Amino acid sequence: MLPTTVTAVPALPLTPNGKLDRDRLPAPGKPVSVPAPTGDLVTALTGVWEEILGVPVGPDDNFFELGGNSLYAIRVGTALRERGLPAPSMRLLYTHPTVHALSLAMADE
């Protein structure tokens, strides 16, 4: 899930009891656009996931909801290395389980 807006505040407003005072929060700012995944990495990830999972894969489909597990995750890394691409760490795949999120995270590394 990605937020539609992000509003920076210098500090969170609190009630006298130390809880978040939602009434004093500023209105949300302009929506933040998230770049759509493109390129060879997205194509490779989509192809590898479809090959290993045996189902069609979209950019926002969750690896684990499509039937992925830890053994399939290792196979994904192996298949990407065989194609001459970097393999994501298991932690990266678990924390970014969609093609979109994983491709962005791998590009940042």
Side-chain angles (χ1 to χ4, degrees), residues 7-91:
T7 303
V9 293
L12 293 176
L14 301 177
T15 65
N17 295 333
K19 296 181 179 180
L20 179 65
D21 188 348
R22 294 177 187 207
D23 295 332
R24 291 182 27 218
L25 286 172
K30 293 181 182 178
V32 176
S33 64
V34 177
T38 58
D40 295 335
L41 183 57
V42 172
T43 304
L45 281 172
T46 302
V48 166
W49 286 19
E50 288 178 347
E51 177 184 318
I52 290 172
L53 297 172
V55 296
V57 176
D60 294 315
D61 290 337
N62 186 298
F63 179 76
F64 300 102
E65 290 175 4
L66 293 174
N69 56 39
S70 59
L71 295 176
Y72 286 161
I74 292 170
R75 290 180 61 194
V76 165
T78 302
L80 287 171
R81 279 192 295 278
E82 288 173 352
R83 289 169 170 76
L85 296 167
S89 66
M90 292 302 107
R91 180 180 181 142

